[in-house]
Amino acid sequence: IVGREECRDKKPSPEPIEYALKQLGIVSKENVYMVGDRQNIDIRAAINAGINSILINKNLDKQEALPTLQVEKFKDLKTLKIFQNCRF
């Protein structure tokens, strides 16, 4: 978990995501996904950090910042192929 105190800038800056990736030792961003429910903060931060994004779009609203993928509810994440082998 990356909290506000670890980073100078907050989302939608890419800094919190980049800090988390560095702490985890992740170099390749190809299989990294940001899951969020706020387009202009979470999804924009993912875009700014150059990673994939999944929008939990409860109302299936029009997207302002385009996510890589979209689901209606958090529990729907397990239906995505990328999470087939993950436990929830």
Coordinates of all heavy atoms in Angstrom, one line a residue:
I1 N 0.9 -1.2 0.0 CA 0.0 0.0 0.0 C 0.9 1.2 0.0 O 1.8 1.3 0.8 CB -0.9 0.0 1.2 CG1 -1.9 -1.2 1.2 CG2 -1.7 1.3 1.3 CD1 -2.7 -1.3 2.4
V2 N 0.6 2.1 -0.9 CA 1.3 3.4 -0.9 C 0.3 4.5 -0.4 O -0.7 4.7 -0.9 CB 1.7 3.7 -2.4 CG1 2.4 5.1 -2.4 CG2 2.6 2.7 -2.9
G3 N 0.8 5.1 0.7 CA 0.0 6.2 1.3 C 0.4 7.6 0.8 O 1.5 7.7 0.2
R4 N -0.3 8.6 1.2 CA 0.0 9.9 0.9 C 1.4 10.4 1.4 O 2.1 11.2 0.7 CB -1.0 10.9 1.4 CG -2.3 10.8 0.8 CD -3.3 11.8 1.3 NE -4.6 11.5 0.8 CZ -5.7 11.9 1.4 NH1 -5.7 12.5 2.5 NH2 -6.9 11.6 0.9
E5 N 1.8 9.9 2.5 CA 3.0 10.3 3.1 C 4.3 9.8 2.4 O 5.4 10.3 2.5 CB 3.1 9.9 4.6 CG 3.0 8.4 4.8 CD 1.5 7.9 4.9 OE1 0.6 8.7 4.9 OE2 1.4 6.7 4.9
E6 N 4.1 8.8 1.5 CA 5.3 8.3 0.7 C 5.6 9.1 -0.5 O 6.7 9.0 -1.1 CB 5.0 6.8 0.3 CG 5.3 5.8 1.3 CD 4.1 5.5 2.2 OE1 3.0 5.7 1.7 OE2 4.3 5.0 3.3
C7 N 4.6 9.9 -1.0 CA 4.8 10.6 -2.2 C 4.5 12.1 -2.1 O 3.6 12.5 -1.3 CB 3.9 10.1 -3.3 SG 4.2 8.3 -3.7
R8 N 5.2 12.9 -2.8 CA 5.0 14.3 -2.8 C 3.7 14.7 -3.5 O 2.9 15.5 -3.1 CB 6.2 15.0 -3.4 CG 6.1 16.6 -3.3 CD 7.2 17.2 -4.1 NE 6.9 17.0 -5.5 CZ 7.8 16.8 -6.4 NH1 9.1 16.9 -6.2 NH2 7.4 16.6 -7.7
D9 N 3.6 14.1 -4.7 CA 2.4 14.3 -5.5 C 1.4 13.2 -5.3 O 1.8 12.1 -5.1 CB 2.8 14.5 -7.0 CG 3.7 15.7 -7.2 OD1 3.5 16.7 -6.5 OD2 4.5 15.6 -8.1
K10 N 0.1 13.5 -5.5 CA -0.9 12.5 -5.4 C -1.5 12.2 -6.8 O -1.2 13.0 -7.7 CB -2.0 12.9 -4.4 CG -2.7 14.2 -4.8 CD -3.7 14.6 -3.7 CE -4.4 15.9 -4.1 NZ -5.4 16.3 -3.1
K11 N -2.3 11.2 -6.9 CA -3.0 10.9 -8.2 C -3.8 12.1 -8.6 O -4.4 12.7 -7.7 CB -3.9 9.6 -8.0 CG -3.2 8.4 -7.7 CD -4.1 7.2 -7.6 CE -5.1 7.4 -6.4 NZ -6.0 6.3 -6.2
P12 N -3.8 12.4 -9.8 CA -3.5 11.7 -11.0 C -2.0 11.7 -11.4 O -1.6 11.2 -12.5 CB -4.4 12.2 -12.1 CG -4.5 13.6 -11.7 CD -4.5 13.6 -10.2
S13 N -1.1 12.3 -10.6 CA 0.3 12.2 -10.9 C 0.7 10.7 -11.0 O 0.2 9.9 -10.2 CB 1.1 12.9 -9.8 OG 2.4 12.5 -9.8
P14 N 1.6 10.4 -11.8 CA 2.1 9.0 -11.9 C 3.0 8.6 -10.7 O 3.3 7.4 -10.5 CB 2.9 8.9 -13.2 CG 3.4 10.3 -13.4 CD 2.3 11.2 -12.8
E15 N 3.4 9.5 -9.9 CA 4.3 9.3 -8.8 C 3.9 8.2 -7.8 O 4.8 7.3 -7.6 CB 4.6 10.6 -8.0 CG 5.7 10.3 -6.9 CD 5.9 11.6 -6.0 OE1 5.2 12.6 -6.2 OE2 6.8 11.5 -5.2
P16 N 2.7 8.1 -7.3 CA 2.4 7.0 -6.4 C 2.5 5.6 -7.1 O 2.9 4.7 -6.5 CB 0.9 7.3 -6.0 CG 0.7 8.8 -6.2 CD 1.6 9.1 -7.4
I17 N 2.1 5.5 -8.3 CA 2.2 4.3 -9.0 C 3.6 3.9 -9.3 O 4.1 2.8 -9.1 CB 1.4 4.3 -10.4 CG1 -0.1 4.5 -10.1 CG2 1.6 3.1 -11.2 CD1 -1.0 4.7 -11.3
E18 N 4.4 4.8 -9.7 CA 5.8 4.6 -10.0 C 6.5 4.2 -8.7 O 7.4 3.3 -8.7 CB 6.5 5.8 -10.7 CG 6.0 6.0 -12.1 CD 6.3 7.3 -12.7 OE1 6.9 8.2 -12.0 OE2 6.1 7.5 -13.9
Y19 N 6.2 4.8 -7.6 CA 6.8 4.5 -6.3 C 6.4 3.0 -5.9 O 7.3 2.3 -5.5 CB 6.3 5.5 -5.2 CG 6.8 5.1 -3.8 CD1 8.1 5.6 -3.4 CD2 6.0 4.4 -2.9 CE1 8.5 5.3 -2.2 CE2 6.5 4.1 -1.7 CZ 7.8 4.6 -1.3 OH 8.2 4.3 0.0
A20 N 5.2 2.7 -6.1 CA 4.7 1.3 -5.8 C 5.5 0.3 -6.6 O 5.9 -0.8 -6.1 CB 3.2 1.2 -5.9
L21 N 5.6 0.6 -7.9 CA 6.3 -0.4 -8.8 C 7.7 -0.5 -8.4 O 8.3 -1.6 -8.4 CB 6.2 0.1 -10.3 CG 4.8 0.2 -10.9 CD1 4.8 0.8 -12.3 CD2 4.2 -1.2 -10.9
K22 N 8.4 0.6 -8.0 CA 9.8 0.5 -7.6 C 9.9 -0.3 -6.3 O 10.8 -1.1 -6.2 CB 10.3 1.9 -7.4 CG 11.7 2.0 -7.0 CD 12.2 3.4 -6.9 CE 13.7 3.4 -6.5 NZ 14.2 4.8 -6.3
Q23 N 9.0 -0.1 -5.4 CA 9.0 -0.8 -4.1 C 8.9 -2.3 -4.3 O 9.4 -3.2 -3.6 CB 8.0 -0.3 -3.1 CG 8.2 1.1 -2.7 CD 9.5 1.3 -2.0 OE1 9.9 0.5 -1.0 NE2 10.4 2.2 -2.4
L24 N 8.1 -2.7 -5.3 CA 7.8 -4.1 -5.7 C 8.9 -4.7 -6.6 O 8.8 -5.9 -6.9 CB 6.4 -4.2 -6.3 CG 5.2 -3.9 -5.4 CD1 4.0 -3.8 -6.2 CD2 5.1 -5.0 -4.3
G25 N 9.8 -3.9 -7.1 CA 10.8 -4.3 -8.0 C 10.3 -4.6 -9.4 O 10.9 -5.4 -10.1
I26 N 9.2 -4.0 -9.8 CA 8.6 -4.3 -11.1 C 9.2 -3.3 -12.1 O 9.1 -2.1 -11.9 CB 7.0 -4.1 -11.0 CG1 6.5 -5.2 -10.1 CG2 6.4 -4.2 -12.4 CD1 5.0 -5.0 -9.8
V27 N 9.8 -3.9 -13.2 CA 10.4 -3.1 -14.2 C 9.5 -3.0 -15.4 O 9.2 -1.9 -15.9 CB 11.8 -3.7 -14.6 CG1 12.4 -2.9 -15.7 CG2 12.7 -3.8 -13.4
S28 N 8.9 -4.1 -15.9 CA 8.1 -4.1 -17.0 C 6.6 -3.8 -16.6 O 6.1 -4.4 -15.7 CB 8.1 -5.5 -17.7 OG 7.1 -5.6 -18.7
K29 N 6.0 -2.8 -17.3 CA 4.7 -2.4 -17.0 C 3.6 -3.1 -17.8 O 2.4 -2.9 -17.6 CB 4.6 -0.9 -17.2 CG 5.5 -0.1 -16.3 CD 5.3 1.4 -16.6 CE 6.2 2.3 -15.7 NZ 6.0 3.7 -16.0
E30 N 4.0 -4.0 -18.6 CA 3.1 -4.7 -19.6 C 1.9 -5.4 -18.9 O 0.8 -5.3 -19.4 CB 3.9 -5.7 -20.4 CG 3.1 -6.4 -21.4 CD 3.9 -7.4 -22.2 OE1 5.2 -7.4 -22.1 OE2 3.3 -8.2 -23.0
N31 N 2.2 -6.0 -17.8 CA 1.1 -6.8 -17.1 C 0.7 -6.1 -15.8 O 0.1 -6.8 -14.9 CB 1.6 -8.2 -16.8 CG 1.7 -9.0 -18.1 OD1 0.9 -8.9 -19.0 ND2 2.9 -9.7 -18.3
V32 N 0.8 -4.8 -15.7 CA 0.4 -4.1 -14.5 C -0.9 -3.4 -14.8 O -1.1 -2.8 -15.8 CB 1.5 -3.1 -14.1 CG1 1.0 -2.2 -12.9 CG2 2.8 -3.7 -13.8
Y33 N -1.8 -3.6 -13.8 CA -3.2 -3.0 -14.0 C -3.5 -2.1 -12.7 O -3.3 -2.6 -11.6 CB -4.2 -4.0 -14.1 CG -4.2 -4.7 -15.5 CD1 -3.3 -5.7 -15.8 CD2 -5.1 -4.3 -16.5 CE1 -3.3 -6.3 -17.0 CE2 -5.1 -4.9 -17.7 CZ -4.2 -5.9 -18.0 OH -4.2 -6.5 -19.2
M34 N -4.0 -1.0 -13.0 CA -4.5 -0.1 -11.9 C -6.0 -0.3 -11.9 O -6.7 -0.1 -12.9 CB -4.2 1.4 -12.2 CG -4.9 2.4 -11.4 SD -4.3 2.4 -9.7 CE -5.1 3.9 -9.1
V35 N -6.6 -0.7 -10.8 CA -8.0 -0.8 -10.7 C -8.5 0.4 -9.9 O -8.1 0.6 -8.8 CB -8.4 -2.1 -9.9 CG1 -9.9 -2.2 -9.8 CG2 -7.9 -3.3 -10.7
G36 N -9.5 1.1 -10.4 CA -10.0 2.3 -9.8 C -11.4 2.6 -10.2 O -11.9 2.1 -11.2
D37 N -12.1 3.4 -9.4 CA -13.4 3.8 -9.6 C -13.6 5.3 -10.0 O -14.7 5.8 -10.1 CB -14.4 3.4 -8.5 CG -14.0 4.2 -7.2 OD1 -13.0 4.8 -7.1 OD2 -14.8 4.0 -6.2
R38 N -12.5 6.0 -10.1 CA -12.5 7.4 -10.4 C -11.7 7.7 -11.7 O -10.5 7.5 -11.7 CB -12.0 8.3 -9.3 CG -12.9 8.1 -8.0 CD -12.4 8.8 -6.8 NE -11.1 8.3 -6.5 CZ -10.3 8.8 -5.6 NH1 -10.6 9.9 -4.9 NH2 -9.1 8.2 -5.3
Q39 N -12.5 8.1 -12.7 CA -11.8 8.3 -14.0 C -10.8 9.3 -14.0 O -9.7 9.1 -14.6 CB -12.9 8.6 -15.1 CG -13.9 7.5 -15.3 CD -15.0 7.9 -16.3 OE1 -14.7 8.5 -17.3 NE2 -16.2 7.7 -16.0
N40 N -11.1 10.5 -13.5 CA -10.1 11.6 -13.6 C -9.0 11.5 -12.6 O -8.1 12.4 -12.6 CB -10.9 12.9 -13.5 CG -11.7 13.2 -14.7 OD1 -11.3 12.8 -15.8 ND2 -12.8 13.9 -14.6
I41 N -9.1 10.6 -11.7 CA -8.0 10.4 -10.7 C -7.3 9.1 -11.0 O -6.1 9.0 -11.3 CB -8.5 10.5 -9.3 CG1 -9.1 11.9 -9.1 CG2 -7.4 10.2 -8.3 CD1 -9.7 12.2 -7.7
D42 N -8.0 7.9 -10.7 CA -7.4 6.6 -10.8 C -7.0 6.3 -12.3 O -5.8 5.9 -12.5 CB -8.3 5.5 -10.3 CG -8.7 5.8 -8.9 OD1 -7.8 6.2 -8.1 OD2 -9.8 5.5 -8.5
I43 N -7.9 6.4 -13.2 CA -7.6 6.0 -14.6 C -6.6 7.0 -15.2 O -5.7 6.6 -15.9 CB -8.9 5.9 -15.4 CG1 -9.9 4.9 -14.8 CG2 -8.6 5.5 -16.9 CD1 -9.3 3.6 -14.4
R44 N -6.7 8.2 -14.9 CA -5.8 9.2 -15.4 C -4.4 9.0 -14.9 O -3.3 9.1 -15.6 CB -6.2 10.6 -15.1 CG -5.3 11.7 -15.6 CD -5.2 11.9 -17.1 NE -6.5 12.0 -17.7 CZ -6.7 11.7 -19.0 NH1 -5.7 11.3 -19.8 NH2 -7.9 11.9 -19.6
A45 N -4.3 8.6 -13.6 CA -3.0 8.2 -13.0 C -2.3 7.0 -13.7 O -1.1 7.0 -14.0 CB -3.1 7.9 -11.5
A46 N -3.1 6.0 -14.0 CA -2.6 4.9 -14.7 C -2.1 5.3 -16.1 O -1.0 4.8 -16.5 CB -3.7 3.8 -14.9
I47 N -2.9 6.1 -16.8 CA -2.5 6.5 -18.1 C -1.2 7.3 -18.0 O -0.2 7.1 -18.8 CB -3.6 7.4 -18.8 CG1 -4.8 6.5 -19.1 CG2 -3.1 8.1 -20.0 CD1 -6.0 7.3 -19.5
N48 N -1.1 8.2 -17.0 CA 0.1 9.0 -16.8 C 1.3 8.2 -16.5 O 2.5 8.6 -16.8 CB -0.1 10.1 -15.7 CG -1.1 11.1 -16.2 OD1 -1.4 11.3 -17.4 ND2 -1.7 11.8 -15.2
A49 N 1.1 7.0 -15.8 CA 2.2 6.2 -15.4 C 2.5 5.1 -16.5 O 3.5 4.4 -16.4 CB 1.9 5.4 -14.1
G50 N 1.7 5.1 -17.6 CA 2.0 4.2 -18.6 C 1.6 2.7 -18.3 O 2.2 1.8 -18.9
I51 N 0.6 2.5 -17.5 CA 0.2 1.2 -17.2 C -1.3 1.0 -17.6 O -2.0 1.9 -17.9 CB 0.3 0.8 -15.7 CG1 -0.6 1.7 -14.8 CG2 1.7 0.9 -15.2 CD1 -0.7 1.3 -13.4
N52 N -1.7 -0.3 -17.6 CA -3.1 -0.6 -18.0 C -4.0 -0.2 -16.9 O -3.6 0.0 -15.7 CB -3.2 -2.1 -18.2 CG -2.4 -2.6 -19.3 OD1 -2.6 -2.2 -20.5 ND2 -1.4 -3.5 -19.0
S53 N -5.3 0.0 -17.2 CA -6.3 0.4 -16.2 C -7.6 -0.3 -16.3 O -7.9 -0.7 -17.4 CB -6.5 1.9 -16.3 OG -7.0 2.2 -17.5
I54 N -8.2 -0.5 -15.2 CA -9.6 -1.1 -15.2 C -10.4 -0.2 -14.4 O -10.2 0.1 -13.2 CB -9.6 -2.5 -14.5 CG1 -8.6 -3.5 -15.3 CG2 -11.0 -3.1 -14.5 CD1 -8.4 -4.8 -14.7
L55 N -11.5 0.3 -15.0 CA -12.4 1.2 -14.4 C -13.6 0.4 -13.8 O -14.2 -0.4 -14.5 CB -13.0 2.2 -15.4 CG -14.1 3.1 -14.9 CD1 -13.6 4.0 -13.8 CD2 -14.6 4.0 -16.0
I56 N -13.8 0.5 -12.5 CA -15.1 0.0 -11.9 C -16.1 1.1 -12.1 O -16.1 2.1 -11.4 CB -14.9 -0.4 -10.5 CG1 -13.8 -1.5 -10.4 CG2 -16.2 -0.8 -9.9 CD1 -13.5 -1.9 -9.0
N57 N -16.9 0.9 -13.1 CA -17.9 2.0 -13.5 C -19.3 1.5 -13.1 O -20.0 0.9 -13.9 CB -17.8 2.1 -15.1 CG -18.5 3.3 -15.6 OD1 -19.3 4.0 -14.9 ND2 -18.2 3.7 -16.8
K58 N -19.6 1.9 -11.9 CA -20.9 1.4 -11.3 C -22.1 1.7 -12.1 O -23.1 1.0 -12.1 CB -21.0 2.0 -9.9 CG -19.9 1.5 -9.0 CD -20.0 2.3 -7.6 CE -18.8 1.9 -6.8 NZ -17.8 2.9 -6.8
N59 N -22.1 2.9 -12.8 CA -23.2 3.3 -13.5 C -23.0 3.2 -15.0 O -23.8 3.6 -15.8 CB -23.6 4.7 -13.2 CG -23.9 4.9 -11.7 OD1 -24.6 4.1 -11.2 ND2 -23.3 5.9 -11.1
L60 N -21.9 2.6 -15.4 CA -21.5 2.5 -16.8 C -21.6 3.8 -17.5 O -22.1 4.0 -18.6 CB -22.3 1.4 -17.5 CG -22.1 0.0 -17.0 CD1 -23.1 -1.0 -17.7 CD2 -20.7 -0.5 -17.2
D61 N -21.1 4.8 -16.8 CA -21.1 6.2 -17.3 C -20.1 6.3 -18.5 O -19.2 5.5 -18.6 CB -20.7 7.2 -16.2 CG -21.7 7.2 -15.1 OD1 -22.9 7.0 -15.4 OD2 -21.3 7.5 -14.0
K62 N -20.3 7.4 -19.3 CA -19.4 7.7 -20.3 C -18.0 8.0 -19.7 O -17.9 8.6 -18.7 CB -19.9 9.0 -21.0 CG -19.0 9.5 -22.1 CD -19.6 10.7 -22.7 CE -18.6 11.4 -23.6 NZ -19.0 12.7 -24.0
Q63 N -17.0 7.5 -20.4 CA -15.6 7.6 -19.8 C -15.0 9.0 -20.3 O -15.1 9.3 -21.5 CB -14.7 6.5 -20.3 CG -15.0 5.2 -19.8 CD -15.8 4.4 -20.8 OE1 -15.7 4.5 -22.0 NE2 -16.7 3.6 -20.3
E64 N -14.4 9.6 -19.4 CA -13.6 10.8 -19.7 C -12.2 10.5 -20.0 O -11.6 10.9 -20.9 CB -13.7 11.8 -18.6 CG -15.2 12.3 -18.4 CD -15.3 13.1 -17.1 OE1 -14.4 13.7 -16.6 OE2 -16.5 13.2 -16.6
A65 N -11.6 9.6 -19.1 CA -10.3 9.1 -19.3 C -10.5 7.6 -19.7 O -11.1 6.9 -18.9 CB -9.4 9.2 -18.0
L66 N -10.0 7.2 -20.8 CA -10.4 5.9 -21.3 C -9.5 4.8 -20.6 O -8.3 4.7 -20.8 CB -10.2 5.8 -22.8 CG -11.1 6.7 -23.6 CD1 -10.8 6.6 -25.1 CD2 -12.5 6.3 -23.4
P67 N -10.2 3.8 -19.9 CA -9.5 2.7 -19.3 C -9.2 1.6 -20.3 O -9.8 1.6 -21.4 CB -10.6 2.2 -18.3 CG -11.9 2.5 -18.9 CD -11.7 3.8 -19.7
T68 N -8.3 0.8 -19.9 CA -8.0 -0.4 -20.8 C -9.2 -1.3 -20.8 O -9.6 -1.9 -21.8 CB -6.7 -1.1 -20.2 OG1 -5.7 -0.2 -20.1 CG2 -6.3 -2.3 -21.1
L69 N -9.7 -1.6 -19.6 CA -10.9 -2.5 -19.5 C -11.9 -1.8 -18.5 O -11.6 -0.8 -17.8 CB -10.5 -3.8 -18.9 CG -9.5 -4.6 -19.7 CD1 -9.0 -5.8 -18.8 CD2 -10.2 -5.2 -20.9
Q70 N -13.1 -2.3 -18.5 CA -14.2 -1.7 -17.6 C -15.1 -2.8 -17.1 O -15.4 -3.8 -17.8 CB -15.0 -0.8 -18.5 CG -16.2 -0.2 -17.8 CD -16.8 0.9 -18.7 OE1 -16.9 2.0 -18.3 NE2 -17.3 0.5 -19.8
V71 N -15.4 -2.7 -15.8 CA -16.4 -3.6 -15.2 C -17.4 -2.8 -14.5 O -17.1 -1.6 -14.1 CB -15.8 -4.7 -14.3 CG1 -14.9 -5.6 -15.1 CG2 -15.0 -4.0 -13.2
E72 N -18.5 -3.4 -14.2 CA -19.6 -2.6 -13.4 C -19.3 -2.7 -11.9 O -19.6 -1.7 -11.2 CB -20.9 -3.1 -13.8 CG -22.1 -2.3 -13.2 CD -23.4 -2.8 -13.6 OE1 -23.5 -3.7 -14.4 OE2 -24.4 -2.2 -13.1
K73 N -18.9 -3.9 -11.4 CA -18.7 -4.1 -10.0 C -17.3 -4.7 -9.7 O -16.8 -5.4 -10.5 CB -19.8 -5.0 -9.4 CG -21.2 -4.4 -9.6 CD -22.2 -5.4 -9.2 CE -23.6 -4.8 -9.5 NZ -24.6 -5.8 -9.4
F74 N -16.8 -4.5 -8.5 CA -15.5 -5.0 -8.1 C -15.5 -6.6 -8.3 O -14.5 -7.1 -8.8 CB -15.2 -4.7 -6.7 CG -13.8 -5.2 -6.3 CD1 -12.7 -4.5 -6.6 CD2 -13.7 -6.3 -5.5 CE1 -11.4 -4.9 -6.2 CE2 -12.4 -6.8 -5.2 CZ -11.3 -6.1 -5.5
K75 N -16.6 -7.2 -7.9 CA -16.6 -8.7 -8.0 C -16.5 -9.2 -9.5 O -16.2 -10.3 -9.7 CB -17.9 -9.2 -7.4 CG -19.2 -8.9 -8.1 CD -20.4 -9.6 -7.4 CE -21.6 -9.3 -8.2 NZ -22.8 -10.0 -7.6
D76 N -16.8 -8.3 -10.4 CA -16.8 -8.6 -11.9 C -15.3 -8.8 -12.3 O -15.1 -9.3 -13.4 CB -17.5 -7.6 -12.7 CG -19.0 -7.5 -12.5 OD1 -19.5 -8.5 -12.0 OD2 -19.6 -6.5 -12.7
L77 N -14.3 -8.3 -11.5 CA -12.9 -8.4 -11.9 C -12.6 -9.9 -12.2 O -11.8 -10.2 -13.1 CB -12.0 -7.9 -10.9 CG -12.0 -6.4 -10.7 CD1 -11.2 -6.0 -9.5 CD2 -11.5 -5.7 -12.0
K78 N -13.1 -10.8 -11.4 CA -12.8 -12.2 -11.5 C -13.3 -12.8 -12.8 O -12.8 -13.9 -13.2 CB -13.3 -13.0 -10.3 CG -14.7 -13.1 -10.1 CD -15.1 -13.8 -8.9 CE -16.6 -13.7 -8.6 NZ -16.9 -14.3 -7.3
T79 N -14.1 -12.1 -13.5 CA -14.6 -12.6 -14.8 C -13.6 -12.3 -16.0 O -13.8 -12.8 -17.1 CB -16.0 -12.1 -15.2 OG1 -15.9 -10.7 -15.4 CG2 -17.0 -12.4 -14.1
L80 N -12.7 -11.4 -15.7 CA -11.7 -11.0 -16.7 C -10.7 -12.1 -16.9 O -10.1 -12.6 -16.0 CB -11.1 -9.7 -16.4 CG -12.0 -8.5 -16.2 CD1 -11.3 -7.3 -15.7 CD2 -12.7 -8.2 -17.5
K81 N -10.3 -12.3 -18.2 CA -9.3 -13.3 -18.5 C -8.0 -13.1 -17.8 O -7.3 -14.0 -17.4 CB -9.1 -13.4 -20.0 CG -8.3 -14.5 -20.5 CD -8.2 -14.6 -22.0 CE -7.3 -15.7 -22.4 NZ -7.2 -15.8 -23.8
I82 N -7.6 -11.9 -17.6 CA -6.3 -11.6 -17.0 C -6.2 -12.0 -15.6 O -5.2 -12.1 -15.0 CB -6.0 -10.1 -17.1 CG1 -7.0 -9.2 -16.5 CG2 -5.8 -9.7 -18.6 CD1 -6.6 -7.8 -16.3
F83 N -7.4 -12.2 -14.9 CA -7.4 -12.6 -13.5 C -7.9 -14.0 -13.3 O -8.2 -14.4 -12.2 CB -8.3 -11.6 -12.7 CG -7.8 -10.2 -12.7 CD1 -8.6 -9.2 -13.2 CD2 -6.6 -9.9 -12.1 CE1 -8.1 -7.9 -13.1 CE2 -6.1 -8.6 -12.0 CZ -6.9 -7.6 -12.5
Q84 N -7.9 -14.8 -14.4 CA -8.3 -16.2 -14.3 C -7.7 -17.0 -13.1 O -8.3 -17.8 -12.5 CB -8.1 -17.0 -15.6 CG -9.3 -16.8 -16.5 CD -9.1 -17.6 -17.8 OE1 -7.9 -17.8 -18.2 NE2 -10.1 -18.0 -18.4
N85 N -6.4 -16.8 -12.9 CA -5.7 -17.6 -12.0 C -5.4 -16.9 -10.6 O -4.6 -17.3 -9.8 CB -4.3 -18.0 -12.5 CG -4.5 -18.9 -13.8 OD1 -5.4 -19.8 -13.8 ND2 -3.7 -18.7 -14.8
C86 N -6.2 -15.8 -10.4 CA -6.0 -15.1 -9.2 C -7.1 -15.4 -8.2 O -8.2 -15.8 -8.5 CB -6.1 -13.6 -9.5 SG -4.8 -12.9 -10.5
R87 N -6.8 -15.3 -6.9 CA -7.8 -15.5 -5.8 C -8.3 -14.1 -5.4 O -7.6 -13.2 -5.3 CB -7.1 -16.2 -4.7 CG -6.7 -17.6 -4.9 CD -6.2 -18.2 -3.7 NE -5.5 -19.4 -4.0 CZ -5.1 -20.2 -3.1 NH1 -5.2 -20.0 -1.9 NH2 -4.5 -21.4 -3.5
F88 N -9.6 -14.1 -5.1 CA -10.3 -12.9 -4.7 C -10.9 -13.1 -3.3 O -11.3 -14.2 -3.0 CB -11.4 -12.4 -5.6 CG -10.8 -11.8 -6.9 CD1 -10.5 -12.6 -8.0 CD2 -10.7 -10.5 -7.0 CE1 -10.0 -12.1 -9.2 CE2 -10.2 -9.9 -8.2 CZ -9.9 -10.7 -9.3

